[in-house]
Amino acid sequence: MSQAMKLMKVKVEKCPTDDHSLTNCAIVSDDDFQTKKYPHWEVICGPGQHYVFSVHAYPKMRPGTMGFSLPQRKWASLSINQEVEVRPFSVGKDQYLSNVVLEIDFFQKKSVTQDPYNTDEMAKEFVMQFPNRVFTVGQLLVFQFLDKKLLSLCVKDLEATDLDAIKEGKEVKPKKVKIGMVLPNTSVSFDKADGATINLVGKARGKQVRPNIINPDWNFERMGIGGLDKEFNAIFRRAFASRVFPPEVVEQLGCKHVKGILLYGPPGTGKTLMARQIGKMLNSREPKIINGPQVLDKYVGESEANIRRLFADAEEEEKRLGPNSGLHIIIFDEIDAICKARGSVAGASGVHDTVVNQLLAKIDGVEQLNNVLVIGMTNRRDMIDEALLRPGRLEVQMEIGLPNEHGRVQILNIHTSRMRQFGKMGSDVDVCELATLTKNFSGAEIEGLVRAAQSSALNRLIKASSKVEVDPNAAEKLLVSRPDFLYALENDIKPAFGASEEALTTYMARGIIAWGDPVHHLLEDGNLLIQQAKSPESSGLVSVLLEGPPNSGKTALAAFLAKNSGFPFVKVCTPEDMIGFTESAKCLTIRKTFDDAYKSTMSCIVVDNLERLIDYGPVGPRYSNLTLQALLVLLKKQPPRGRQLLVICTSSRRQVLEDLELIFTFTAVLHVPCLSKSEHLLRVLEETDVFSKRELLNISNKTKDRRVFIGIRKLLAMVDMARQTEEQFRTLKFLSRLEEEGSLEMVA
């Protein structure tokens, strides 16, 4: 600071003219301030309030006053007629500016335009308009560029270089300063102010700090999402990568932002949770979340109006700000409720059709919006109108499937983190083991498993007698252990896409009796086909037909192979579950079974009694062509890429399937024979442990020279009847029944 002149007291005035305001100088009388000798002055408004201004002389300025523009008064907190002290300011040798960064916006916020402002040209103009002017970090300025609208500038950053050191040939790095003077070779760059709508182009732009779409430290587990890392990465690559870059870069690519994402998959896999977290994760305004049914309204036109209201804010901002508009996120939960295929809903109102039309017009109509992102979620992708799924609309379609083992470990860690934190989980609980045991569990089912295990642990500390009492030391004793999880797995929580254990167990109630080489060969071939179905080198679809006479044990063998396959999804499709169904209802049920199977990585479907399923009747004959055609299509349809499907069918009518051309759809056809030799019969009887050794020897002698032909199922029924017969008549009764049934004949 220079003390060449003593402190002067002056009064604050307005700038005499608008042109003087554009100089960004304090306007003074030359008689008082000697502007040629002292071009920069320090204004002292109070303790610690020192501001430096370059000054400009104006003959009509009254002595003892100093004129300031509105931005200058705002920056220095000056008021009209305020008395301040001033003194000359001299620029130090280390205050010559090498670089200036300015924040820019329109001076009048209501007067905006989308005309481009070239930062290179503005930098040159700034240096020409303000040579040898002193500026301070935080100072507010007014800038007139060509004949365009007035601009508001704020000094954001200043870097200065010691000119004397440069003259001496020393290597000098620029350093940050608070006050400095602009030189003809000072580099000037511009940044948009927060919320600025000005359209900047050119290279003279500061390093703009743009908010990251994804926080680098983002932790999916901390936000309650597990097993969806790959899906998240794919969504952000497609939907948000283009939004990180400045609008002009996107324009140079001719790139359009993705406007829609469809998340689909089984219930409970985290679709709604993912959409909710996308809204929280982005540095944008709060997303609008609406359930599909909420859009529909009983009054004519209101459903379409509800859609328009959702997009109203985005439309208004798009018109006002153009490419600089912020991102508006609209989340539709259960979007299939309002976007069904047009023409598929009965009724004369056609509300669903017009809602779909309105949504299409808003996303990708003639006056399309580029600042919206629509996220739809559904369990039924097949129900949504195809027009919504093409590029430009809901073009990013991401299947949120059942979590794999690594994903299940993540989800279990999320839901057990609090128990571990407070020491309420037993040391015998192995999360990796639980992940292995919970094949085909969805995220919601895993959460339910943890709750069920917790309830089991809580129940141990409750005494229920005449009244319910809680153990007084429950807080110390409470510990969720491995047996609690195993009990919950066994009794409480069953996956919707898991194995049909009860059905398989019912079909194998008597187990599998390997009565001879035919059964051994069947099991060997069946295991080979299972390995083929599991192999990633296979086509992904293996279909097997077990055909043979009635009661030969085809269903039990099919259930045995399905259970031994170890596939996490095993579903039984049987005519017993479709009694009284119409043809259409039967086709939809079969189709749903296959659709569910496609959602699992490895699936097995047992289709029992094919001829009954297609309503075959020998009198006539007659059959359901609709069901037959559905089976012909589904048995040939390849599962989605990366999915393995094993289909095991049974039938007692091979010739019928050949006539209907259904047999040719199978990868392999295995014949299941009846028992045909005496040793086969004796092998089964030994397994049942009903007859004594003496009785077995007697049966062997009676049957060794006779032809046997009986199905294993019928034979076991006869054994059960013999079990109820008195011992002295048991053998005779059993042999008599065999002869009566025609299963035991003399060899000619």
Side-chain angles (χ1 to χ4, degrees), residues 276-294:
R276 193 183 303 128
Q277 297 306 332
I278 286 175
K280 291 182 181 178
M281 193 184 315
L282 298 177
N283 292 325
S284 61
R285 56 186 53 79
E286 189 74 17
K288 296 179 180 178
I289 303 176
I290 185 167
N291 292 322
Q294 290 178 348

Side-chain angles (χ1 to χ4, degrees), residues 183-213:
L183 301 176
N185 60 348
T186 298
S187 172
V188 180
S189 56
F190 297 88
D191 275 354
K192 285 185 184 179
D194 290 341
T197 58
I198 188 169
N199 183 14
L200 297 181
V201 297
K203 298 179 181 179
R205 307 183 65 184
K207 295 180 180 178
Q208 300 198 52
V209 180
R210 294 180 175 274
N212 288 329
I213 293 296

Side-chain angles (χ1 to χ4, degrees), residues 249-269:
V249 175
V250 178
E251 288 176 7
Q252 291 167 9
L253 290 173
C255 172
K256 291 184 178 179
H257 299 308
V258 166
K259 301 174 190 172
I261 302 172
L262 179 67
L263 306 178
Y264 67 95
T269 50

